[in-house]
Amino acid sequence: MSDPDVPINSVKRSYDVIDEIREREQVGVTELAEALEIPKSTLHNHLQTLEQLGYLVQQEEKYRLSTKFLHLGREARNSHEVFLYGREKVKRLGEQSDAYCQLVCEENGRGTILLATRWQYEDLPPTAKHVYPMHEYLHTNAPGRQFSHSFLRNELKKSSIVTACQKTQIKR
């Protein structure tokens, strides 16, 4: 099915394949084709391409995401301005407060935890789906709500400053 909101539908389709495999962890061609409502032949082309590029691994007739995504995520985080300037401050804050602290950035209305102090993967149950680093809508978690609140507060301040400047100009 064509999506009028994207310029290249085949790229979107490949990302739909990746997202569906991520949701299911491992999946066969028939199940995936049914879930995405696309012909097996079309899906097979996407799977082969993604596997040849190193983004998927096929094991026993099922596909899963490759560890290449770990590398891409690390590179995205390590080059992010918020991470570069905030990581040491968050680490220090965590050490000083002996509390769980997070460094969160916003992209496209979603918050992503770039760094968390005192976070232990080993403490999570094996069935935990959403673990650090998460990428969720801002309104669904505490850091995101704080981020939204701070953003709105800053926008109100900017609005007040603009209003004050406009009033000053009018009086002249």
Side-chain angles (χ1 to χ4, degrees):
M1 186 182 310
S2 180
D3 184 343
D5 294 333
V6 296
I8 304 175
N9 276 292
S10 62
V11 173
K12 183 185 183 304
R13 175 75 45 89
S14 287
Y15 277 100
D16 290 343
V17 169
I18 290 168
D19 283 340
E20 194 65 33
I21 293 172
R22 180 187 54 80
E23 284 292 321
R24 296 169 186 261
E25 295 179 10
Q26 290 188 39
V27 65
V29 175
T30 302
E31 181 183 352
L32 190 55
E34 289 172 3
L36 294 169
E37 298 178 351
I38 59 175
K40 281 187 190 180
S41 59
T42 301
L43 175 61
H44 193 267
N45 289 335
H46 285 276
L47 292 171
Q48 277 190 323
T49 301
L50 290 166
E51 184 180 20
Q52 287 174 5
L53 293 173
Y55 293 99
L56 297 179
V57 175
Q58 183 180 12
Q59 293 177 315
E60 301 174 13
E61 305 298 316
K62 292 192 174 193
Y63 288 88
R64 67 168 176 80
L65 300 181
S66 80
T67 55
K68 185 173 187 173
F69 286 101
L70 293 173
H71 172 73
L72 294 173
R74 187 187 73 233
E75 293 299 319
R77 182 198 67 180
N78 290 351
S79 64
H80 199 290
E81 187 175 8
V82 170
F83 182 74
L84 293 172
Y85 294 107
R87 68 179 163 195
E88 292 306 318
K89 290 180 181 181
V90 169
K91 285 180 182 179
R92 250 189 329 275
L93 179 62
E95 290 168 2
Q96 292 169 353
S97 66
D98 197 34
Y100 178 76
C101 300
Q102 297 176 334
L103 178 62
V104 177
C105 73
E106 180 276 336
E107 289 181 337
N108 302 318
R110 290 182 178 243
T112 300
I113 299 172
L114 299 176
L115 178 69
T117 64
R118 298 175 48 106
W119 180 83
Q120 297 293 320
Y121 183 77
E122 297 80 25
D123 295 341
L124 295 172
T127 56
K129 283 283 216 178
H130 297 287
V131 297
Y132 165 78
M134 65 179 210
H135 183 71
E136 300 290 338
Y137 287 106
L138 291 173
H139 70 279
T140 64
N141 54 71
R145 287 190 293 276
Q146 180 62 40
F147 188 89
S148 296
H149 177 73
S150 297
F151 175 78
L152 289 173
R153 192 172 57 236
N154 288 337
E155 286 300 306
L156 289 172
K157 286 179 184 176
K158 286 180 190 175
S159 174
S160 299
I161 292 168
V162 170
T163 304
C165 291
Q166 289 173 342
K167 287 180 183 177
T168 304
Q169 289 175 350
I170 293 170
K171 290 180 182 178
R172 289 184 185 180

